[in-house]
Amino acid sequence: MHEDTDKVRKELERFKANKRSGFAVLADPDKIAPADMVHLARLCNNGAVDYLFMGGSLLMAHQMDLCIQRFKSESDIPVVLFPGSPAQVTPYADALLYLSLISGRNPDLLIGQHVASAPQVKASGLEVISTGYIIVDGGVQTTVSYMSNTTPIPANKPEIAVCTAWAGELQGKHVIYLDAGSGAQRPISTEMVHSVSENIEIPLIVGGGIRTAEKVYENCNAGANIVVVGNAIEQDPMLIKDMAQAAHSVGIRQKH
Ligand code: 1GP
């Protein structure tokens, strides 16, 4: 049973209130083996990473639980599920991004799968973070847009992203996640990140196609409270420290 039922959410809210940013490493259980998790945990500890996000759009390898256990044997960094499907909900994690794909018009991903998986989520004892999940065009069709059968928001339409984020906030979501999709050619523009961040009171998570510490910094400076990086770190885990440092170095934001 998880004792502190809103620990991660409160921490995300503090990032927002203090105009600060954190860094999350995304591990895809289809691409990482349990044996790699101890090394990853050490790198995350060393870089003072804020969260390990776990999840993927497929899940062919059913080793999620073991991956999380191995990570936790070496690190106290909270593990937050970022599930591609309800099959990825496991009580071994600390919290669950309870995603509703609000940029799409696929009822199954707005409410259908939530109804079907509600008993499992309730029984998991996980901290549930209600998340307005917004997919933005990243210049290439990503797994998430293909698998979700939804059209991403055009990259040059920040006003649509703002209205979508507002709708999520009005519905009572705890956080907004703006995602260009894993392996996006173009990450979300800092203009869009800034517009959304400026217009919502809830924390903003940003990810998709971010490959350098500079890009992490730019996103945080534009108003992202958490930046998530997966692919680039899979290719070069040594990026973790610089990227986390870049996120943590952003203080009071300047006006754009
Ligand atoms: C994908 O936001 C995440 O959903 C991270 O994307 O793997 O491209 O870093 P990358």
Side-chain angles (χ1 to χ4, degrees), residues 12 82 96-104 109-110 114 128-136 153 161-179 188 196 200 202-207:
L12 294 173
F82 172 46
L96 163 70
L97 294 182
Y98 193 59
L99 306 170
S100 183
L101 182 48
I102 59 175
S103 58
L109 300 177
L110 283 163
H114 307 73
V128 176
I129 301 170
S130 177
T131 305
Y133 186 45
I134 299 178
I135 303 176
V136 178
I153 292 179
V162 169
C163 288
T164 309
W166 269 338
E169 186 174 44
L170 289 165
Q171 285 182 331
K173 306 288 186 237
H174 299 139
V175 302
I176 295 293
Y177 190 149
L178 272 185
D179 197 352
I188 294 172
V196 172
I200 57 172
I202 52 178
L204 177 63
I205 303 173
V206 176

Side-chain angles (χ1 to χ4, degrees), residues 21-44:
S21 305
F23 184 66
V25 170
L26 173 65
D28 183 340
D30 280 329
K31 295 187 189 158
I32 195 160
D36 304 324
M37 293 306 284
V38 168
H39 181 57
L40 179 67
R42 289 184 185 144
L43 291 174
C44 289

Side-chain angles (χ1 to χ4, degrees), residues 233-250:
I233 287 171
E234 271 160 35
Q235 283 153 25
D236 181 7
M238 300 318 280
L239 286 171
I240 290 176
K241 197 170 183 178
D242 286 352
M243 286 181 158
Q245 223 163 40
H248 296 148
S249 70
V250 174

Side-chain angles (χ1 to χ4, degrees), residues 77-207:
I77 294 169
V79 176
V80 178
L81 298 175
F82 172 46
S85 79
Q88 294 175 16
V89 176
T90 162
Y92 289 99
D94 297 288
L96 163 70
L97 294 182
Y98 193 59
L99 306 170
S100 183
L101 182 48
I102 59 175
S103 58
R105 300 296 178 266
N106 179 343
D108 211 32
L109 300 177
L110 283 163
I111 186 66
Q113 292 199 0
H114 307 73
V115 175
S117 63
Q120 180 197 354
V121 171
K122 291 289 266 185
S124 72
L126 288 164
E127 175 185 348
V128 176
I129 301 170
S130 177
T131 305
Y133 186 45
I134 299 178
I135 303 176
V136 178
D137 186 8
V140 65
Q141 188 174 42
T142 55
T143 311
V144 63
S145 73
Y146 176 77
M147 293 296 283
S148 66
N149 196 17
T150 65
T151 308
I153 292 179
N156 60 349
K157 301 282 180 198
E159 64 278 16
I160 302 181
V162 169
C163 288
T164 309
W166 269 338
E169 186 174 44
L170 289 165
Q171 285 182 331
K173 306 288 186 237
H174 299 139
V175 302
I176 295 293
Y177 190 149
L178 272 185
D179 197 352
S182 195
Q185 231 162 40
R186 275 191 322 255
I188 294 172
S189 71
T190 46
E191 187 198 353
M192 185 181 278
V193 172
H194 182 66
S195 302
V196 172
S197 170
E198 283 290 282
N199 279 290
I200 57 172
E201 303 296 321
I202 52 178
L204 177 63
I205 303 173
V206 176

Side-chain angles (χ1 to χ4, degrees), residues 69-84:
Q69 283 172 301
R70 290 276 157 82
F71 185 86
K72 283 190 162 291
S73 70
E74 202 63 33
S75 177
D76 293 327
I77 294 169
V79 176
V80 178
L81 298 175
F82 172 46

